[in-house]
Amino acid sequence: MQAHPSMPNSPRLPLALGGLVLVALVASGVAPHDRATWLLEVAPVLIALPVMAATWRRFPLTPLLYVLVALHALVLILGGTYTYARVPLGFWLQDLLHLGRNPYDKIGHFMQGLVPALVTREILLRGGYVARAHARMAGFLGVCVAMAVSAFYELVEWWVALALGMGAQDFLGTQGDPWDTQSDMFFALIGATVAMLAFARWQDRQIRALEHAG
């Protein structure tokens, strides 16, 4: 059955979002603050875009997830363009909230928890790895995977710091905070928890719609 544009598995939404992300990625790569840092920050986008394009037909995601993945990609691209400590939006938040540092990287880590948690939950439920009757277990495992992703990312930052020394400062974005690693993981935990509390039921409805359309 051919998908109608209004149906959950219509290609219009992923194509539009993919095009938006691709345009933003190309624009950000024209003159980033630091080319090496830009490449490190947008690397997840460079990996995710072709993977999602290759798997769309046999495993289309829910519209909710496509939107959140695209938003996460845009957060990464903006951070890569300026480096996280220099993003103008972060300076605005710093002034608004009277903070001692640019908090934009915490938005990135919040998304780093929220999106992988929902991706994991969707794969577990739709793939039959966790029974629908035990959806809460899928949510719990989604949070666990999101925290594993966050921890691995912190390890990557450590390895880059060891390899590049002071040249990795823009990528690390600690801004002198000795607890930056811990707070990054905490914001990922917040993001993963919000994903389960705010989006799980919405995701369930869209999963059912996808299955019905298929």
Side-chain angles (χ1 to χ4, degrees), residues 2 19 43 53 82 93 111 127 147 160 175 188:
Q2 185 175 2
Y82 292 96
L93 290 172
M111 296 300 294
M147 292 309 297
V160 170
Q175 302 180 65

Side-chain angles (χ1 to χ4, degrees), residues 46-67:
L46 297 175
I47 295 170
L49 270 180
V51 169
M52 294 178 69
T55 60
W56 175 82
R57 289 195 177 277
R58 65 176 180 271
F59 196 84
L61 303 176
T62 55
L64 169 66
L65 207 48
Y66 276 124
V67 170

Side-chain angles (χ1 to χ4, degrees), residues 15 25 30 51 62-64 72 85 101 148 150 172 180:
L15 283 176
L25 181 63
V30 173
V51 169
T62 55
L64 169 66
H72 189 191
R101 50 162 288 175
S150 178
L172 293 176
D180 185 69

Side-chain angles (χ1 to χ4, degrees), residues 149-175:
V149 169
S150 178
F152 180 73
Y153 192 83
E154 296 302 326
L155 290 175
V156 170
E157 288 188 343
W158 174 42
W159 296 333
V160 170
L162 291 177
L164 300 182
M166 292 301 295
Q169 287 303 308
D170 283 336
F171 178 58
L172 293 176
T174 60
Q175 302 180 65

Side-chain angles (χ1 to χ4, degrees), residues 1-10 63 213-214:
M1 180 176 71
Q2 185 175 2
H4 187 274
S6 63
M7 292 174 64
N9 58 344
S10 168

